[in-house]
Amino acid sequence: MFENFTKSFVIVKKSFDVLMSEKKLLFFPLISGIFLIALLLSFIAPIFVFNSDAPLILFSAIFYFLSYFVIIFFNTSLVHAVNNKIEGKPVSLMESISFSFTRILNIIGWAAIAATVGMILSFLRGEANKQRGIGGLIASLVVNAIGMVWSLATFFVIPVIVFENVNPITAIQRSVELIKKGWGQAVTAGFGIGVVFFILYLIGIGAIMLSAFTGILFLPVLVIGIVYLVAVFLVESTLQSIFVVELYKYVNTGNAVLFNPDELQGAFKPKNTV
């Protein structure tokens, strides 16, 4: 187990080295975040206008769809840019964003599916949280398990849309096929990435909370802490995409560019066959 953890952290370091050699990759999650904030602000005021559930549900559905569309659109651009970097091609923001427009129908379709599933899971979590006692605990565990399975099954959807240019239903099927070809001991996206960034998030949140409780330099710490957390989020999002692109190529061909095959096997070990 310790060997697998070590390999996961090696993947984090090598992904970070790629990012440091091409810092423009950070702009894709940054632009996505700016659009999401603008979208949220534009939806806040109308929420208070609705007095009945029906318009509010429709309004929420539109917000979910647009949010997923923004995220998927710029993730598609990021995957394209990461692939250019891996293949030694120039990385261009405008070229990668323009590429996303060549996949726009598939992006819209995938955003609609992902938003629908996201709303259903959100509703189920809300209902589970209303339950008391052991029943509520079991309901929460079941809903979370469904969410994990969905995330795992759709892990490769965006790379499949980028590289294979198929519709979202086919992309989900292909993602499931790729997951079946390789089964992760660390379970998707590199266990090391999750651990490292969980610690980094805790440091930022802990510093803000400590300053709030003690009253020492609260405003400066708050501002610096928010900037720090945003920076951590941008780096994490980019490293995830670097890892996913490389892993997609490895699972498809058995060849790796950035990482040694042995390192990827530690993070995403091929399933044994009997």
Side-chain angles (χ1 to χ4, degrees):
M1 180 178 293
F2 180 77
E3 180 184 0
N4 291 328
F5 291 168
T6 302
K7 289 178 179 179
S8 294
F9 287 120
V10 170
I11 287 174
V12 174
K13 181 182 182 303
K14 289 190 174 182
S15 298
F16 187 76
D17 291 340
V18 173
L19 174 58
M20 288 297 96
S21 67
E22 192 59 76
K23 298 181 182 66
K24 282 188 289 187
L25 296 174
L26 288 170
F27 281 98
F28 295 102
L30 175 60
I31 296 172
S32 176
I34 292 172
F35 271 92
L36 286 174
I37 292 173
L39 182 65
L40 177 62
L41 293 176
S42 68
F43 272 72
I44 286 178
I47 287 177
F48 298 100
V49 175
F50 296 111
N51 295 319
S52 60
D53 291 338
L56 184 59
I57 292 173
L58 177 61
F59 201 70
S60 299
I62 295 172
F63 177 76
Y64 259 85
F65 168 75
L66 292 177
S67 298
Y68 274 94
F69 173 80
V70 168
I71 294 170
I72 294 168
F73 182 90
F74 286 104
N75 277 351
T76 300
S77 301
L78 178 56
V79 166
H80 177 266
V82 167
N83 185 61
N84 281 350
K85 175 61 180 178
I86 290 175
E87 294 185 350
K89 300 177 183 178
V91 174
S92 166
L93 296 177
M94 293 308 301
E95 179 190 351
S96 293
I97 290 174
S98 297
F99 174 84
S100 291
F101 283 104
T102 69
R103 301 289 191 266
I104 194 67
L105 292 180
N106 293 331
I107 290 173
I108 291 173
W110 174 227
I113 294 173
T116 301
V117 174
M119 282 193 68
I120 293 173
L121 289 174
S122 179
F123 171 78
L124 292 176
R125 288 191 185 98
E127 292 300 307
N129 291 335
K130 294 177 183 177
Q131 304 298 319
R132 300 285 184 178
I134 189 67
L137 176 61
I138 293 175
S140 296
L141 291 175
V142 170
V143 173
N144 289 332
I146 294 173
M148 290 178 62
V149 171
W150 172 250
S151 297
L152 180 63
T154 59
F155 183 73
F156 286 113
V157 166
I158 291 181
V160 169
I161 288 176
V162 169
F163 298 115
E164 302 179 25
N165 194 20
V166 296
N167 65 70
I169 299 298
T170 303
I172 294 172
Q173 294 171 343
R174 281 284 295 134
S175 180
V176 172
E177 290 174 7
L178 293 171
I179 289 293
K180 289 180 178 178
K181 287 177 64 176
W183 189 252
Q185 289 183 339
V187 187
T188 74
F191 179 80
I193 293 179
V195 171
V196 168
F197 283 93
F198 177 75
I199 295 172
L200 292 177
Y201 282 123
L202 281 183
I203 292 173
I205 294 171
I208 293 174
M209 293 181 63
L210 180 62
S211 178
F213 282 124
T214 61
I216 301 175
L217 299 174
F218 175 65
L219 285 179
V221 171
L222 178 63
V223 172
I224 294 173
I226 291 174
V227 173
Y228 167 83
L229 291 173
V230 170
V232 171
F233 169 76
L234 294 178
V235 172
E236 179 189 21
S237 300
T238 308
L239 295 193
Q240 289 279 7
S241 292
I242 293 171
F243 178 70
V244 169
V245 171
E246 181 75 346
L247 192 54
Y248 170 86
K249 291 176 174 291
Y250 174 70
V251 174
N252 259 317
T253 67
N255 298 318
V257 179
L258 300 177
F259 311 122
N260 297 325
D262 183 57
E263 293 165 354
L264 287 173
Q265 288 173 5
F268 209 76
K269 185 177 181 180
K271 184 170 59 177
N272 294 327
T273 57
V274 179

